[in-house]
Amino acid sequence: MNSFEALIADLHAFVREREWEQFHDPKNLAMALGSEVGELMAELRWVRSEQVDAHVADADKRKRLAAELGDVGILLVLLAERMNIVLLEAMRTKLEENRRKYPVEAARGRAERPGGGG
Amino acid sequence: MNSFEALIADLHAFVREREWEQFHDPKNLAMALGSEVGELMAELRWVRSEQVDAHVADADKRKRLAAELGDVGILLVLLAERMNIVLLEAMRTKLEENRRKYPVEAARGRAERPGGGG
Amino acid sequence: MNSFEALIADLHAFVREREWEQFHDPKNLAMALGSEVGELMAELRWVRSEQVDAHVADADKRKRLAAELGDVGILLVLLAERMNIVLLEAMRTKLEENRRKYPVEAARGRAERPGGGG
Amino acid sequence: MNSFEALIADLHAFVREREWEQFHDPKNLAMALGSEVGELMAELRWVRSEQVDAHVADADKRKRLAAELGDVGILLVLLAERMNIVLLEAMRTKLEENRRKYPVEAARGRAERPGGGG
């Protein structure tokens, strides 16, 4: 079993031991995912683009950012699992769609969505 | 190389081929992650809890949800990679913290945060 | 001067006195708005739809929800003001668009977006 | 009746005419607010801080940003109203709290949260 699958199994055990399945319907989990992404954004909200790499290089701030990334990842896995969607397959499928949607020659050096950044 | 690591490598190649590294600083990626989670939430916003499992069981809606989960997962990986944080390690670390923070006996059957689900 | 305009003036004074304009570019403010909405969602994430009215009726929880609504409102006003967009006009314009987009007869009793809740 | 109160009354009429109250419980509205903020962030996600003022000055982009601000404002008002919370009072209360929490001398020139702005 590779490490991602092992982590998923451990997350299931964590939830089951605490009898938290009752709170984990798809709507609740999606909302919890939204709140965790909010916490992640809170870490970077007042940092301007030109300072963000220095910010992220700071040991204390990296630790906080890693903790928030971990929370987001856990909620994302729990949500996918709850809906019986295999997250890695969903990501792989989306990557293939994006390859078709943004051919290399047309997309090179341009922000992904015309209206989103030009 | 397991499938998660292979996917990460393919995502790096996808970005590099399109010369999109220039847009992918941590602040931009965190904001893009926030917007993708917004799209995921849009799929479930008008669905009440008691109807959400039937909603998610519908083939067309599952496909849309899987596509949104894929987008969120891709942005999360790109953000972690950009900050040189190993996402699986961050998730594993957070799971261990949560084990200590929410001991089984005390947490059983109670929503994770007292104020958040009471 | 009505109370909304007075509040906007007071928010400007609050920011100016603290010399916080330097942090308040549109990107930072939009990200801060996203993080505040995350805090608001955190208050309701584990509450199922059928329990949410009872939850909201609780005095302590109402106070927390009001505080989060206040934060979101403040950030929304600061963002609009920073972009020289009159928030009330933007809301009025959008309401008129929605009137045209969702005529009463066609929209009655149907969730706003077909794919979003059916 | 001032313009903000008139707008609130018009929003109530808009919802009532379409019989949309049935979808507008606090949880659904909070999730819809999250998705609308996601759309707003999508407009700015690939724009770096040093380019964001030029971006916002563009007429087409301003129009899109104003539309997204309008959506967020409408959802925020609908959510507050649904919970019988007077949004302007909640904002006023929070502003007064922030005045106490961030005294001018201590807060001058420093990002609002120590960990959030470095």
Side-chain angles (χ1 to χ4, degrees):
Chain A
M1 190 185 286
N2 69 36
S3 63
F4 190 57
E5 287 162 355
L7 178 63
I8 291 176
D10 288 347
L11 285 169
H12 278 298
F14 174 82
V15 171
R16 199 172 45 239
E17 286 166 4
R18 283 156 190 76
E19 298 177 10
W20 282 354
E21 299 96 333
Q22 62 188 303
F23 303 113
H24 287 188
D25 64 74
K27 190 172 177 92
N28 282 6
L29 288 169
M31 205 170 201
L33 177 62
S35 69
E36 295 297 345
V37 170
E39 292 186 31
L40 175 59
M41 290 193 295
E43 294 294 318
L44 296 173
R45 58 185 171 179
W46 303 125
V47 187
R48 283 174 60 90
S49 302
E50 60 270 31
Q51 301 159 333
V52 73
D53 280 307
H55 183 90
V56 167
D58 176 86
D60 282 351
K61 286 164 186 158
R62 277 179 76 72
K63 200 172 171 184
R64 296 162 60 111
L65 284 159
E68 300 302 345
L69 283 176
D71 278 336
V72 174
I74 286 171
L75 261 301
L76 182 61
V77 165
L78 290 175
L79 176 57
E81 290 288 305
R82 180 62 177 75
M83 300 197 289
N84 289 317
I85 289 170
V86 179
L87 182 59
L88 286 191
E89 283 180 19
M91 292 168 69
R92 174 66 64 187
T93 299
K94 197 68 198 215
L95 174 58
E96 298 312 321
E97 277 181 34
N98 284 342
R99 283 191 199 286
R100 288 190 296 274
K101 194 171 172 187
Y102 304 106
V104 170
E105 291 309 318
R108 184 175 289 142
R110 309 190 59 220
E112 280 95 310
R113 295 190 183 187
Chain B
M1 190 185 285
N2 70 35
S3 64
F4 190 58
E5 286 162 357
L7 179 63
I8 291 176
D10 288 349
L11 285 169
H12 278 298
F14 174 82
V15 171
R16 197 171 48 238
E17 285 166 5
R18 283 156 189 78
E19 298 176 11
W20 282 354
E21 298 96 333
Q22 62 188 304
F23 304 113
H24 287 188
D25 65 72
K27 189 170 177 94
N28 282 6
L29 288 169
M31 205 169 200
L33 177 63
S35 70
E36 294 297 345
V37 170
E39 291 187 31
L40 175 59
M41 290 193 295
E43 293 295 318
L44 297 173
R45 59 185 169 179
W46 304 125
V47 188
R48 284 175 59 88
S49 301
E50 59 270 30
Q51 300 159 334
V52 74
D53 281 307
H55 183 90
V56 167
D58 176 88
D60 282 351
K61 285 163 187 159
R62 278 180 75 74
K63 199 171 170 185
R64 295 162 60 110
L65 284 160
E68 299 302 345
L69 283 176
D71 278 337
V72 174
I74 286 171
L75 262 300
L76 182 62
V77 165
L78 290 175
L79 175 58
E81 290 289 305
R82 180 61 176 74
M83 300 195 290
N84 289 317
I85 289 170
V86 179
L87 182 59
L88 286 191
E89 284 180 19
M91 291 169 70
R92 174 65 65 186
T93 299
K94 196 69 198 214
L95 174 58
E96 298 312 321
E97 277 181 35
N98 284 342
R99 282 190 199 286
R100 288 190 297 274
K101 194 172 172 185
Y102 305 106
V104 169
E105 291 308 319
R108 185 175 288 142
R110 308 190 59 221
E112 281 97 309
R113 294 191 184 187
Chain C
M1 190 185 286
N2 69 35
S3 63
F4 189 59
E5 286 162 356
L7 179 62
I8 291 176
D10 288 347
L11 284 170
H12 278 298
F14 174 81
V15 171
R16 198 172 46 239
E17 286 165 3
R18 283 156 189 77
E19 299 176 11
W20 282 354
E21 298 97 333
Q22 62 188 303
F23 304 112
H24 287 188
D25 65 74
K27 189 170 178 92
N28 283 6
L29 288 169
M31 205 169 199
L33 177 63
S35 69
E36 295 297 346
V37 170
E39 291 187 30
L40 175 60
M41 291 193 295
E43 294 295 317
L44 297 173
R45 58 185 171 179
W46 304 125
V47 187
R48 284 174 59 89
S49 302
E50 59 269 31
Q51 301 159 334
V52 72
D53 281 307
H55 183 91
V56 167
D58 176 87
D60 281 352
K61 285 163 186 160
R62 276 180 77 73
K63 200 172 171 184
R64 295 161 60 111
L65 284 159
E68 300 302 344
L69 283 176
D71 278 336
V72 174
I74 286 171
L75 262 299
L76 182 61
V77 165
L78 290 176
L79 175 57
E81 289 289 305
R82 179 61 176 74
M83 300 196 290
N84 289 316
I85 289 170
V86 179
L87 182 59
L88 286 191
E89 283 180 18
M91 292 169 70
R92 175 64 67 187
T93 300
K94 196 68 198 215
L95 174 59
E96 297 313 321
E97 277 181 35
N98 285 342
R99 282 190 199 285
R100 287 190 296 275
K101 194 172 172 186
Y102 304 105
V104 169
E105 291 308 318
R108 184 175 290 142
R110 308 190 60 220
E112 281 97 309
R113 294 189 183 188
Chain D
M1 190 184 287
N2 70 34
S3 63
F4 190 58
E5 286 161 357
L7 178 63
I8 291 176
D10 289 347
L11 284 170
H12 279 297
F14 174 81
V15 171
R16 197 171 47 238
E17 285 165 5
R18 283 155 189 78
E19 299 176 11
W20 282 354
E21 299 95 334
Q22 61 188 304
F23 304 113
H24 287 189
D25 64 73
K27 189 169 178 95
N28 283 7
L29 289 168
M31 205 169 200
L33 177 63
S35 69
E36 295 297 345
V37 170
E39 291 187 30
L40 175 60
M41 291 193 294
E43 294 295 317
L44 297 173
R45 57 185 171 180
W46 303 124
V47 188
R48 284 175 58 90
S49 301
E50 60 270 31
Q51 301 159 335
V52 73
D53 280 307
H55 183 91
V56 167
D58 176 87
D60 282 350
K61 285 163 188 161
R62 278 180 74 74
K63 200 172 170 184
R64 295 162 60 112
L65 284 159
E68 300 302 345
L69 282 176
D71 278 336
V72 174
I74 286 172
L75 262 300
L76 182 61
V77 165
L78 290 175
L79 175 58
E81 289 289 304
R82 180 60 177 75
M83 300 196 290
N84 290 316
I85 289 170
V86 180
L87 182 59
L88 285 191
E89 284 179 19
M91 292 169 69
R92 174 65 65 187
T93 300
K94 197 69 198 214
L95 174 58
E96 297 313 322
E97 277 181 35
N98 284 342
R99 282 191 199 284
R100 288 191 296 274
K101 193 172 171 186
Y102 304 107
V104 170
E105 291 309 319
R108 185 175 288 143
R110 308 190 60 222
E112 281 97 310
R113 295 190 184 187

